[in-house]
């Protein structure tokens, strides 16, 4: 398995580390328009690999060198500065995706390659990458709200004193400020949330739910305020997605891919079955009517931003 990572900044280098640590790739190639940065990252990662898996990790300065890649991860582009929203990056990062995707496509096998998009604003970048690459939507996969869902499960795990692994709760819609939590279908170990709380005598009133929503929405802003950028969470999400694809695990992940065609096409996060060929199926969870309305609103925001390009 050869994996290429384009954009070796805070996120790209953390992604390289986490993907290397899966042990699933025999070769990882790193490309950044800043060649010195990519070379330094490859050197450092190569030393780390000496303590774990025997992987060939190289920095490359031409797209020809990504030939033979099974998966290409795009993590290049501007990141949020304190106070900026993901949407503020729209035009700058549309230019980055428009620069990278044609070069990638000229050097990969379009019949099999899977593109993983990390660059923000995520959903719009997925739509743009899919349109430029002309790949089937199922193989242009944005990490979407995988990270937001992980943040939700982590907060709930502490609140409910139960492992994150036992919590099925999703954040859907935009990977951005309009994302929404589907409380209606959240469950713990197959028991719906309200019933779980009753049985364990834990109270999760509306005010607490609103605080949790606020924390999920603000997690990135707080991390950026504290450490300048976010990278560990998203690196974990990308490694998990790579594992799911390479091992054909067919787990349900809240990734973002394009659904629909023409003017009605849209990428946003929904629970989707992911396997070797990318997104295999998309599910519609049970939602109450305010939740359905929030999801539609999130979809409208993504579409509006895409139309600005
Ligand atoms: P960074 O500034 O640290 O790194 C960006 C890198 O991209 C730089 O090394 C730069 O040289 C490179 N780059 C820019 N344009 C390029 C081009 N045309 N070709 C090749 N390389 C190019 O930024 P970061 O913190 O690593 O963030 C990268 C992206 O990931 C941002 O858009 C950020 O918002 C996004 N991000 C997404 C998530 C998510 O959940 N999807 C989470 C965190 C960050």
């Amino acid at each position: 398995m050869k994996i290429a990572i384009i954009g070796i900044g805070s996120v790209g280098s953390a992604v390289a580390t986490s993907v290397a640590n899966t042990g699933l790739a025999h070769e990882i190639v790193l490309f950044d328009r800043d060649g010195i940065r990519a070379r330094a990252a490859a050197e450092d990662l190569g030393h780390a690999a000496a303590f774990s898996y025997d992987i060939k990790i190289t920095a490359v300065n031409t797209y020809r060198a990504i030939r033979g890649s099974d998966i290409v991860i795009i993590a290049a582009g501007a990141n949020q500065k304190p106070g900026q929203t993901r949407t503020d990056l729209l035009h700058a990062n549309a230019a980055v995706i428009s620069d990278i995707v044609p070069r990638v496509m000229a050097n990969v096998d379009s019949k099999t390659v899977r593109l993983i998009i990390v660059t923000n604003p995520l959903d719009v970048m997925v739509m743009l990458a899919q349109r430029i690459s002309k790949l089937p939507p199922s193989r242009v996969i944005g990490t979407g709200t995988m990270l937001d869902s992980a943040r939700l499960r982590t907060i709930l795990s502490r609140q409910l004193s139960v492992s994150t692994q036992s919590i099925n709760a999703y954040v859907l819609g935009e990977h951005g400020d309009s994302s929404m939590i589907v409380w209606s279908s959240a469950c713990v170990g197959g028991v719906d949330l309200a019933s779980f709380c009753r049985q364990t005598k834990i109270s999760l009133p509306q005010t607490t739910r609103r605080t949790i929503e606020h924390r999920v929405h603000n997690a990135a802003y707080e991390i950026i305020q504290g450490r300048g950028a976010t990278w560990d969470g998203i690196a974990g999400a990308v490694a998990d997605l790579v594992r799911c694809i390479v091992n054909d695990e067919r787990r349900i992940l809240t990734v973002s891919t394009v659904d629909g065609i023409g003017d009605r096409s849209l990428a946003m996060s929904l629970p989707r079955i992911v396997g070797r060929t990318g997104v295999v199926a998309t599910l519609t969870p049970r939602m109450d009517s305010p939740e359905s309305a929030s999801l539609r609103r999130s979809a409208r925001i993504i579409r509006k931003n895409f139309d600005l390009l």
Side-chain angles (χ1 to χ4, degrees):
M1 173 70 41
K2 178 172 175 177
I3 297 180
I5 305 174
I6 316 292
I8 312 299
S10 308
V11 171
S13 40
V15 164
T17 305
S18 63
V19 169
N21 286 338
T22 64
L24 293 170
H26 76 274
E27 183 174 4
I28 299 179
V29 291
L30 310 181
F31 179 91
D32 195 288
R33 67 176 177 196
D34 178 347
I36 294 174
R37 196 175 201 184
R39 270 199 301 284
E43 191 74 359
D44 205 5
L45 267 161
H47 301 161
F51 296 100
S52 54
Y53 298 100
D54 211 359
I55 311 171
K56 186 175 163 205
I57 301 174
T58 44
V60 297
N61 53 15
T62 126
Y63 276 90
R64 278 179 68 86
I66 73 165
R67 286 194 173 172
S69 295
D70 303 285
I71 295 177
V72 178
I73 301 165
I74 302 181
N79 60 8
Q80 291 165 264
K81 304 294 174 279
Q84 271 190 316
T85 68
R86 295 173 180 90
T87 309
D88 291 332
L89 311 171
L90 181 69
H91 292 285
N93 284 348
V96 171
I97 294 293
S98 305
D99 167 45
I100 293 171
V101 173
R103 296 169 198 261
V104 166
M105 292 313 298
N107 289 286
V108 292
D109 182 351
S110 62
K111 288 192 214 62
T112 55
V113 73
R114 282 130 302 172
L115 297 188
I116 294 180
I117 310 295
V118 180
T119 305
N120 278 319
L122 192 278
D123 305 282
V124 178
M125 296 303 119
V126 169
M127 292 169 76
L128 188 60
Q130 194 275 325
R131 188 168 282 198
I132 297 171
S133 67
K134 299 190 177 67
L135 286 173
S138 58
R139 286 196 275 119
V140 182
I141 310 164
T143 46
T145 54
M146 279 182 77
L147 181 52
D148 315 63
S149 297
R151 286 171 177 155
L152 171 64
R153 287 168 53 230
T154 308
I155 296 169
L156 277 176
S157 150
R158 289 172 194 158
Q159 196 82 27
L160 306 175
S161 295
V162 65
S163 162
T164 49
Q165 307 301 322
S166 300
I167 298 174
N168 256 289
Y170 295 127
V171 179
L172 303 182
E174 182 197 20
H175 170 61
D177 297 340
S178 73
S179 66
M180 47 82 63
I181 296 174
V182 194
W183 291 107
S184 303
S185 54
C187 64
V188 185
V191 177
D192 72 78
L193 195 55
S195 174
F196 178 87
C197 289
R198 259 196 318 278
Q199 292 182 44
T200 54
K201 301 188 176 28
I202 292 172
S203 132
L204 201 65
Q206 203 56 38
T207 47
T208 310
R209 291 184 186 207
R210 271 201 290 275
T211 307
I212 292 173
E213 266 164 20
H214 179 77
R215 286 178 61 199
V216 170
H217 278 136
N218 276 282
Y221 293 107
E222 281 168 22
I223 297 167
I224 290 167
Q225 199 70 46
R227 66 191 311 210
T230 76
W231 57 84
D232 286 324
I234 183 60
V238 174
D240 195 44
L241 178 52
V242 166
R243 208 179 291 117
C244 194
I245 293 171
V246 176
N247 293 337
D248 197 19
E249 291 177 12
R250 300 176 74 95
R251 268 185 292 129
I252 294 171
L253 305 175
T254 55
V255 290
S256 178
T257 47
V258 176
D259 296 305
I261 46 167
D263 288 350
R264 299 177 78 85
S265 64
L266 185 88
M268 69 173 177
S269 289
L270 289 169
R272 301 179 194 270
I273 303 174
V274 179
R276 187 178 296 281
T277 54
V279 171
V280 181
T282 296
L283 307 171
T284 309
R286 189 182 60 244
M287 282 183 276
D288 62 23
S289 60
E291 288 167 351
S292 299
S294 297
L295 191 61
R296 282 197 301 274
R297 178 175 162 271
S298 196
R300 279 197 302 275
I301 288 171
I302 296 167
R303 185 72 227 183
K304 192 180 111 232
N305 288 335
F306 183 72
D307 289 343
L308 289 174
L309 294 179

